[in-house]
Amino acid sequence: MAVTDEAITKIKEMLVSGQLKAGDRLPPENELSDQLGLSRSSLREAVKALELIRVLDVRRGDGTYVTSLEPGLLTETMGFMVEIHQETSAPELLEVRRILEPGAAAHAAGRMDARAVAALRSCLDDADPQGTALELAAHDFAFHSHIGRASGNPYLAGLLDSLTGSALRLRTWQRITEAGAAASVLEEHAAILEALTLGDAELVRSLMTVHVASAERWLRRTPAPRTVPAVPVSLPATVPVQQEQQVQPAPRPVAAVPAAALPVQAPAPVQAPAPAPVPEATREPTPAQTQAPVQPQIARIAREPALYELFAMPSTPGQKAARKPRRPA
């Protein structure tokens, strides 16, 4: 054990045994060092450490005193630890609060007198849903602190006060105000107050559990991205706005051209592949042949002239006569 740790242990033993009580003044440094068998430098280090955790109070020019040793004062050390670890341990700290605070609120339900209820109601009435995150965080601390003290357990009240540091509470309310949900959270406070007024311990326990779990969800929530407002771009005075909207010129209306001036053209016939050449002496062209061109399917199937005539020639009487081979003169 280090010499400083040994000095702290011996002073603690004096407090536990009753040799030193709350508010007592410690003996002079040289006398106390001889009594404890420690060097004066080791004693000074021990006194500094105990001053940090609010066990001793060093008053310059007057001496060193034992503090009141009240639970709320001693649990300030826990608050110091929470402030240091809030970035990495915030969910775990809120989990501890979710376990302890509903029980403390349930204890308060049966012990709150008219004065405590009036103080809690005044705290709630002073809260403004449109207030800043800093103002709402201060209200939140006061509201929960009132309930903790009303539980009648000062150790529990001091521990709950220290579990949510000021920065951690402020960050939670920043998420709430950014989402515009401050009014709904204050309504949860109002419901808890109503249950406390009725003295319903189980209802208070349930409402407080939901309320602390809601704060935990707000803390875990990703902050909303900040949008940069668009800078309006003004057009030059010489450029009309309508010119930018006209991407293409309006088409010329068809009704402006007289119908009589438009030439009437027959639709172009479908061009069929040219059939194999047939001697004109064998047959004469007929109107049906000129109007009904040979289908491309037949031209592809019957490439030979004889087969082409067999598939492609019409079957009218005049055409049948034209298909008969002529006898040589």
Side-chain angles (χ1 to χ4, degrees), residues 19-232:
Q19 298 180 31
L20 290 175
K21 298 179 181 179
D24 288 350
R25 178 179 177 179
L26 270 67
E29 185 178 273
N30 54 355
E31 181 181 340
L32 185 60
S33 61
D34 293 340
Q35 180 182 348
L36 299 178
L38 301 170
S39 64
R40 298 176 65 177
S41 60
S42 300
L43 182 60
R44 291 194 197 102
E45 293 298 327
V47 170
K48 289 181 181 179
L50 292 173
E51 183 184 14
L52 288 175
I53 61 174
R54 308 303 298 273
V55 173
L56 298 179
D57 182 19
V58 179
R59 303 174 186 176
R60 305 301 176 188
D62 188 11
T64 302
Y65 291 81
V66 180
T67 64
S68 62
L69 300 180
E70 293 180 355
L73 184 65
L74 297 179
T75 52
E76 288 183 3
T77 307
M78 175 68 72
F80 180 74
M81 184 272 292
V82 169
E83 294 290 348
I84 294 176
H85 294 278
Q86 61 184 350
E87 294 295 334
T88 56
S89 304
E92 290 80 2
L93 292 170
L94 277 175
E95 185 177 0
V96 175
R97 180 183 164 195
R98 179 158 44 90
I99 295 171
L100 296 179
E101 192 160 6
H107 276 290
R111 300 179 181 180
M112 290 188 69
D113 54 9
R115 183 177 179 181
V117 172
L120 198 58
R121 190 176 299 279
S122 176
C123 176
L124 185 60
D125 292 341
D126 292 339
D128 183 9
Q130 303 300 326
T132 64
L134 184 61
E135 295 170 347
L136 290 170
H139 153 75
D140 188 71
F141 176 79
F143 182 83
H144 288 273
S145 183
H146 276 302
I147 297 176
R149 290 196 299 270
S151 69
N153 190 323
Y155 293 94
L156 182 58
L159 183 60
L160 290 174
D161 285 346
S162 63
L163 276 177
T164 306
S166 57
L168 186 62
R169 196 182 298 268
L170 176 60
R171 188 170 63 181
T172 304
W173 276 96
Q174 284 175 343
R175 306 282 170 82
I176 295 173
T177 54
E178 286 173 0
S184 62
V185 177
L186 293 180
E187 289 177 0
E188 294 177 5
H189 284 184
I192 293 172
L193 174 59
E194 185 66 22
L196 286 170
T197 305
L198 296 175
D200 192 337
E202 292 306 316
L203 180 59
V204 171
R205 187 192 304 272
S206 301
L207 292 174
M208 185 62 77
T209 301
V210 174
H211 177 64
V212 178
S214 176
E216 186 177 352
R217 288 195 301 271
W218 280 113
L219 184 62
R220 293 176 184 269
R221 186 173 181 177
T222 304
R226 296 183 179 180
T227 57
V228 180
V231 179

